[in-house]
Amino acid sequence: MSSNNLLDKIIQQSKLSKKETAKQQRIVETAIALFAERGYAHTSTSEIAKHSGVAEGTIFRHYGTKENLLLSVIVPFLKESMPSLAEEISEQVDPRGFGSFGEFVRALIRNRFEFLMANREIFRVVAKEMLYRDELRAELFPHVGGAIFGFLGRALAHFKERGELADIPPPELAKLMLTTIAGSFVARIVLAPEPPGEEAEADLERLARFVLEGCASGRAAL
Amino acid sequence: MSSNNLLDKIIQQSKLSKKETAKQQRIVETAIALFAERGYAHTSTSEIAKHSGVAEGTIFRHYGTKENLLLSVIVPFLKESMPSLAEEISEQVDPRGFGSFGEFVRALIRNRFEFLMANREIFRVVAKEMLYRDELRAELFPHVGGAIFGFLGRALAHFKERGELADIPPPELAKLMLTTIAGSFVARIVLAPEPPGEEAEADLERLARFVLEGCASGRAAL
Amino acid sequence: MSSNNLLDKIIQQSKLSKKETAKQQRIVETAIALFAERGYAHTSTSEIAKHSGVAEGTIFRHYGTKENLLLSVIVPFLKESMPSLAEEISEQVDPRGFGSFGEFVRALIRNRFEFLMANREIFRVVAKEMLYRDELRAELFPHVGGAIFGFLGRALAHFKERGELADIPPPELAKLMLTTIAGSFVARIVLAPEPPGEEAEADLERLARFVLEGCASGRAAL
Amino acid sequence: MSSNNLLDKIIQQSKLSKKETAKQQRIVETAIALFAERGYAHTSTSEIAKHSGVAEGTIFRHYGTKENLLLSVIVPFLKESMPSLAEEISEQVDPRGFGSFGEFVRALIRNRFEFLMANREIFRVVAKEMLYRDELRAELFPHVGGAIFGFLGRALAHFKERGELADIPPPELAKLMLTTIAGSFVARIVLAPEPPGEEAEADLERLARFVLEGCASGRAAL
DNA sequence: CATGAATGAGCTTTCATTCAT
DNA sequence: TATGAATGAAAGCTCATTCAT
């Protein structure tokens, strides 16, 4: 049904390797750390082997290819990052309808920020490789982006009916929201990796306010 | 005063190579095209040599290192992208004070978009490598970011005095503006490289409106 | 008496592994098929393991080395291919003296062709490896070749007494016969592996006639 | 016109590398010697590099692939071994029509034997790899074999008209001749590589006689 | 100045073999 | 006895860089 080669590989991949050896875990953890630090291209498999106290052959016994190891890092992250979103948000806000648009945006931002901070090393890897490797982007973007877009689109439609949003086509609004929020997260987590500071709270609130105003109805275009 | 190794190298670099021969131009142009297409790491110097009709040795005679060739691509772009900004914007808007905040933001967005579209291949290279190579980011960010930040900070202070802005510390507001605008540009030019479509106009206007609303005073935080 | 390392190993090998378990049989059968198809060097032990439904360790438990597994394929073939020859031929022809030389040659050719066709996969393996691996050839050739040569020499001496053969030293004649017959078989079974066609009969008859004429007395050297 | 991938590659290959460096010559010579001695699969590129006093990278700069190096060894040999045949034979025998069949066969055998002895190392490589590597055989066989077959077929037709040959279809006769002659050469040069002995003369004469009788008319099939 | 042959360190990957379970 | 995860040496190959011409 899907002609997506890479995604198929990824899914099979994550199905097959259900039982993770202790060594496999160490390999993946090390790979995440090194990929995040130096990037995929500048990390050699021999370094990964050395740092995880494993023979180089072991890596290839389990992952076959260096590329495949990268996917084994990225895929679970993406799998977890997408479908859980809608449910979690719904639970955290009003299950019957997200409450107000403000509540929704704040919950969305906070939820994703926490998720990305909890997985910030993988996020760094994904962000860098997504930008760098055209095939990865070309094949994963539609799926990941599509899911997020779909979720956000439905939510915006809901709030627009209530008259809380500016008169902008919801897809365009979704795009603006996403680039703003994602831009903020990338700037904070990938570009300027700082220890999880305390100002995060205030920053997130400012970001939320900025997004809300940008989406809000009730003011003519200036 | 500055212990910045890379920047010194860059500056020397651009001083030394004042007289660009025809061959050097071809080398740099080819490098830009190939780096943009496949990324720095996946482009070999022999490919650059072949595509520009030059012997491989010639590249190293002029640039010494592959890394240095990358800098010779990036540096003029950055040099041109920064200082010109303030002047151009000032000229395009009201030289005495940018006119209204709306005018300013619209001019800023349009001016930078045109600049980046005109140099979109280099922009792709810079964006990718900026994210990928930590040293590059660590060393260039303060300078480039600082300049932009300074300019934007002064402008925001100006408009805040006039009461056109929300009650947010200007640096924070600058950050939000920049991530939003940059996020949009990266999404459009780097992530989803399309032929310069006609909808650009409308998109830019929506982006401007979104930013303006986000910055605007006159509404309580929701 | 014999300083032949390899042959000793082979003999021990075939003595020790008298009792072949079902798994061992599957291993050897798979090895034959894969060696014949891709050659020894291009067949990995893990492939053999996978195709025979056995763990890789099991192969090494039984055969110790990949090389040894090859011998376990080759040796029984050679053991069966040699001593049986004289008896079978004798039985199939006139037990008292092979009948006429023509009968003898035809029986010889037919008997060996059937034997090789029945074991054609192993024959492919042996032919390829015999040519490819110098030690194998150097050590096995004298023994195998010697046996065949001895048998054929005796037969030729017998027919020469009867005056049926040209005036050529029997060893030289044996060599010519063997290279011609073996050349034909290798061409047909190894070089151009076709499904056992019906023209085999006619081909064999032509081969026999060619050999017979070449050996025949009664005509001056042209 | 020809869908033969490998042969195309080969031909381009030998055209491109017209100018052979001194180092290239040493590489090819070493490769021939080592391939002949141990076989292609058991010879590593690092060994070739070491033995020819060259860096390993140099091999790949010139030949790209180990496989390609093999072709660079085989191709000139095949190119020289085929087309020259007809002319040389014609010259060595009676230019108006090969003289008698006996003259023709003796000239053919002697000419090819000398050619193969002069190139005996390459012949060993070709023989081994031809047997071992199915793709090589599948792609080269039709072309090489076809040329030889064509030449021999025409010659046989010529002599058959004169009534010098047995009543066997010329293609079948050609096959028998070729397997017999080739079998002899392989046995002598590849299987039992001896220093060029003096008995060669007598052996060749016996081989010629054997072939002649096998082809001769004038005797009923026995 | 320009060339391009040569270099060699380093890369990813393969695979026969070992050994704790 | 059978397993299969782990090993590590060695393979083929890439590529930035050097240097004699």
Side-chain angles (χ1 to χ4, degrees), chain D residues 3-13 67 71 75 133 135-140:
Chain D
S3 65
N4 195 309
N5 247 330
L6 187 54
L7 208 77
D8 289 352
K9 260 173 65 187
I10 286 173
I11 286 163
Q12 287 181 355
Q13 171 71 17
E67 176 104 18
L71 295 182
V75 171
R133 330 183 94 235
E135 13 78 73
L136 204 68
R137 184 169 65 249
E139 302 203 44
L140 294 184

Side-chain angles (χ1 to χ4, degrees), chain A residues 23 55 58 61-62:
Chain A
K23 296 218 166 181
T58 307
R61 156 163 263 274
H62 288 299

Side-chain angles (χ1 to χ4, degrees), chain C residues 98-183:
Chain C
F98 295 131
S100 76
F101 185 56
E103 272 184 89
F104 170 71
V105 166
R106 288 195 172 84
L108 177 68
I109 287 175
R110 199 147 294 142
N111 174 283
R112 285 303 88 185
F113 182 72
E114 269 152 27
F115 174 75
L116 293 179
M117 280 302 282
N119 301 279
R120 83 194 79 127
E121 286 202 306
I122 304 187
F123 181 45
R124 273 172 210 145
V125 177
V126 172
K128 286 175 186 179
E129 296 307 324
M130 209 73 162
L131 206 59
Y132 212 80
R133 331 182 96 237
D134 292 9
E135 13 74 78
L136 205 67
R137 183 169 67 250
E139 305 202 39
L140 294 183
F141 219 63
H143 292 266
V144 180
I148 297 177
F149 232 71
F151 162 73
L152 196 56
R154 284 189 299 278
L156 287 182
H158 171 80
F159 289 110
K160 196 172 187 190
E161 275 179 27
R162 294 213 211 153
E164 297 191 45
L165 300 185
D167 191 25
I168 298 176
E172 299 300 330
L173 205 51
K175 221 156 65 177
L176 286 165
M177 284 181 65
L178 284 178
T179 54
T180 300
I181 297 173

Side-chain angles (χ1 to χ4, degrees), chain B residues 23 57-58 62:
Chain B
K23 290 208 169 178
T58 308
H62 285 301

Side-chain angles (χ1 to χ4, degrees), chain A residues 91-166:
Chain A
E91 284 168 16
Q92 284 169 31
V93 193
D94 178 349
R96 267 160 301 165
F98 296 130
S100 75
F101 184 54
E103 271 183 88
F104 170 71
V105 167
R106 286 193 174 84
L108 177 69
I109 287 175
R110 200 146 293 142
N111 174 283
R112 285 303 89 185
F113 181 72
E114 269 153 27
F115 174 75
L116 293 179
M117 280 303 283
N119 301 279
R120 84 194 78 127
E121 286 203 304
I122 304 186
F123 181 46
R124 274 171 210 147
V125 177
V126 172
K128 288 175 184 178
E129 297 308 323
M130 209 74 163
L131 206 59
Y132 210 82
R133 329 184 95 236
D134 292 10
E135 13 76 77
L136 204 68
R137 183 170 64 249
E139 303 203 42
L140 294 184
F141 220 62
H143 291 264
V144 180
I148 296 177
F149 234 71
F151 162 71
L152 196 55
R154 284 189 299 279
L156 289 182
H158 171 79
F159 290 109
K160 197 174 185 188
E161 276 178 27
R162 295 213 211 152
E164 298 191 43
L165 300 185

